[in-house]
Amino acid sequence: MRLAWVACVLIACGNDHGTPIDVDAPPPPGTPIVTITAPRMNDSFYVTQSVTVTWSVMDDGSALTCDVAAIGTAQVAIMSNVAVTSGANDSATWTLSGVTPGPYQIQIACRDDASLTGSAKSAQFTVTAAPQDVSFSSQLVPLLARCSGAACHDAQFPQDGLDLTAANAYADVFDQPSAHCPAYKLVAPSDPNNSYLIFKIQGSGPCYVGSRMPKPPETLFSVEEI
């Protein structure tokens, strides 16, 4: 188990997923190693949704149990003493109704039958207020104007065939496949976490290609604008 822990440190195990806690101090031999795979860095969820937490534990013992909690504006217990199996993929659902919006991380602590505990924290994600009614023409078109200038996503020479001018933006993005990641829609209706346009303007996502939008000298989008 020590070799697995060292390998995890050397290769920055988890990247935008979960990473071991206190990597500067090696845990005792045989300590469970926890890896959190979801939620990912920069994921965002409305308070009307739920978060699916996925993780796995590697251990040389048996009778593993895990505590799952969210840490943010307050600590919220999600599951306690849930039995898991070494090497298996496990999951828990965190219902966000009533949760205070803000940045959060998932923390998972797993104990084995030798009373050794291994812990991990996920990358930071965001819980936001419920979506409001939005006007495409009056609220979104002015934002997209940062990307519809000359030699970018304009009407005359639209890069990747994507025209984000006021006359054509809606038809070009709504429920349309991305040229770079055809498995993802540019705007997947009611599903921002799987919308390629969101990946591009926030600078990360399951399928992120090229550079963040908009290009300099335009101002990047804030969290509120995204």
Side-chain angles (χ1 to χ4, degrees), residues 150-175:
C152 204
H153 296 289
D154 60 358
Q156 187 172 8
F157 301 107
Q159 290 192 14
D160 299 318
L162 178 59
D163 181 353
L164 294 180
T165 59
N168 298 307
Y170 188 89
D172 272 22
V173 300
F174 186 77
D175 210 20

Side-chain angles (χ1 to χ4, degrees), residues 19-35:
T19 55
I21 295 175
D22 295 332
V23 294
D24 292 331
T31 298
I33 296 176
V34 183
T35 301

Side-chain angles (χ1 to χ4, degrees), residues 79-170:
M79 296 183 71
S80 298
N81 295 317
V82 56
V84 300
T85 301
S86 178
N89 293 320
D90 297 286
S91 65
T93 300
W94 180 29
T95 301
L96 298 177
S97 178
V99 171
T100 302
Y104 284 88
Q105 288 178 284
I106 297 297
Q107 178 171 289
I108 298 179
C110 298
R111 298 169 298 280
D112 63 13
D113 51 1
S115 298
L116 294 173
T117 300
S119 300
K121 285 184 180 179
S122 74
Q124 185 170 282
F125 59 97
T126 305
V127 176
T128 64
Q132 305 298 311
D133 290 336
V134 175
S135 166
F136 188 85
S137 60
S138 66
Q139 291 177 267
L140 299 186
V141 165
L143 295 178
L144 294 175
R146 298 182 201 172
C147 306
S148 62
C152 204
H153 296 289
D154 60 358
Q156 187 172 8
F157 301 107
Q159 290 192 14
D160 299 318
L162 178 59
D163 181 353
L164 294 180
T165 59
N168 298 307
Y170 188 89

Side-chain angles (χ1 to χ4, degrees), residues 36 55 126:
I36 303 173
W55 77 96
T126 305

